[in-house]
């Protein structure tokens, strides 16, 4: 029997391209699709933002009061995903300042994860025995209003100069117990391809280094940055894991799909680390839709982070139960691949602590009484 193979890529067609706002409607495709152009045209002032969306009085005032502490920066691409008329648009909440940022609680922490405390040399956090965080830049295409590293991201005086980079590489080279390096920032894709390749080639030349992870939000905020040349360059240094940060289904565009495709086709393994944010993704249906889209983009939902205790982001924090309820509404109701780990990154550097709904009803000796996602009970008897 002959089979007719259907080759149309239906999955890609389910993702929509970003619609350019009026001010960029006539810009040429070669510019719009160029990441350098996108970086140069970033929205950094209220005057620029007002040409794209209807700015509220609160946003204008919050910008004036917060911009010194934490800049605003939005790529034209990411701005094109904002609903110009909805102050509660999830993309807008993540990129435009609100009064909540000015509210510093007594329980807020400047460095909630204790990253500076476990820093043997500037630019390296070495907390766990076999892996390190390596900060290579403090720039990002979009400054996310919920950023955990507000204390240094967007601050040019804290950028990773070449000396810091060399000191970090020398530290990793000298510590043979390190097998896993998380290349971070800021956003490491703010580095040039040449600088990134230098870092990767140095790390790959160290016999004790097994894997790299590149933590980047460019797939979400500037997918044009993931060029074919960049993806081809990564092929030389496998295994390369990409940890990205999609928070809402609106971020899953055709541009993002194509960027993920370039990386996945180049052999990278893609994971998503969502941050649970009030008003953005604090509902099981939103997370389920996001995770289904991510799987179609070949990105595995990996973590949901409880929003941490960074200063000026308390307006994004939800009760912890919200995250547990999201897991309760995913586990069993959809593919296990679409169910990430819900974790709290413990304040002060305690590491990630997973939180789960309670599935053990009773445990007596060798008998375990468990419940499934439908609340039906089952017994498991140990031998
Ligand atoms: S991309 Fe990451 S490091 Fe940069 S502002 Fe957003 S959350 Fe912070």
């Amino acid at each position: 029997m002959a089979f007719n193979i259907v080759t149309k890529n239906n999955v890609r067609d389910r993702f929509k391209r970003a619609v350019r706002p009026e001010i960029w409607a006539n810009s040429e495709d070669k510019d719009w699709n160029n990441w350098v152009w996108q970086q140069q045209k970033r929205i950094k002032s209220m005057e620029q933002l007002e040409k794209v969306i209807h700015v509220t009085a609160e946003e204008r005032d919050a910008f004036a009061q917060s911009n010194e502490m934490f800049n605003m920066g939005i790529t034209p691409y990411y701005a094109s995903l904002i609903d110009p008329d909805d102050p509660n648009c999830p993309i807008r909440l993540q990129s435009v300042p609100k009064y909540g940022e000015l509210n510093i609680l007594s329980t807020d922490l400047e460095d909630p994860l204790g990253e500076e405390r476990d820093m043997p040399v500037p630019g390296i956090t070495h907390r766990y025995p076999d892996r390190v965080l390596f900060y290579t830049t403090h720039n990002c295409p979009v400054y996310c209003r919920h950023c955990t590293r507000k204390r240094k991201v967007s601050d040019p005086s804290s950028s990773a100069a070449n000396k810091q980079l060399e000191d970090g590489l020398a530290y990793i080279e000298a510590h043979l117990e390190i097998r896993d390096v998380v290349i971070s920032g800021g956003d490491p894709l703010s580095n040039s391809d040449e600088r990134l390749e230098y870092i990767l080639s140095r790390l790959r030349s160290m016999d004790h280094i097994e894997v790299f992870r590149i933590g980047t939000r460019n797939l979400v905020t500037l997918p044009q940055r993931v060029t074919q040349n960049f993806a081809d360059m990564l092929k030389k240094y496998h295994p390369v894991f990409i940890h990205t940060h999609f928070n809402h289904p609106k971020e899953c565009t055709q541009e993002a799909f194509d960027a993920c495709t370039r990386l996945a086709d180049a052999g990278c393994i893609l994971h998503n680390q969502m941050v649970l944010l009030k008003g953005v993704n604090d509902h099981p249906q939103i997370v389920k839709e996001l995770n289904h889209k991510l799987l179609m983009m070949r990105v595995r939902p990996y973590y949901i982070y409880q929003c941490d205790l960074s200063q000026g982001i308390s307006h994004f924090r939800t009760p912890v139960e919200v995250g547990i309820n999201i897991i309760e509404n995913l586990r069993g109701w959809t593919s296990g691949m679409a169910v990430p780990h819900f974790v709290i990154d413990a304040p002060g550097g305690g590491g990630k602590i997973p939180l789960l709904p309670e599935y053990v009803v009773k445990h007596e000796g060798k008998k375990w009484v468990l419940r499934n996602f439908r609340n039906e009970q089952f017994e498991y008897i140990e031998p």
Side-chain angles (χ1 to χ4, degrees), residues 70 94 138-150 153-154 184-187 215-218 221 245 275:
F70 187 59
Q94 292 181 73
H138 290 152
N139 295 321
C140 307
V142 170
Y143 292 122
C144 313
R145 308 321 299 176
H146 56 277
C147 180
T148 194
R149 297 200 184 119
K150 276 183 166 183
V153 165
S154 99
S184 185
D187 196 312
T216 177
R217 212 176 181 217
N218 268 259
T221 56
H245 176 177
V275 180

Side-chain angles (χ1 to χ4, degrees), residues 301-318:
Y302 181 45
Y303 280 130
I304 296 177
Y305 284 100
Q306 173 69 12
C307 190
D308 65 36
L309 299 181
S310 279
Q311 289 178 338
I313 62 170
S314 58
H315 56 302
F316 282 119
R317 279 179 219 134
T318 62

Side-chain angles (χ1 to χ4, degrees), residues 327-348:
I327 301 300
E328 177 84 56
N329 280 276
L330 293 178
R331 172 65 62 198
W333 299 104
T334 189
S335 334
M337 290 187 299
V339 186
H341 306 285
F342 173 50
V343 294
I344 293 186
D345 218 338

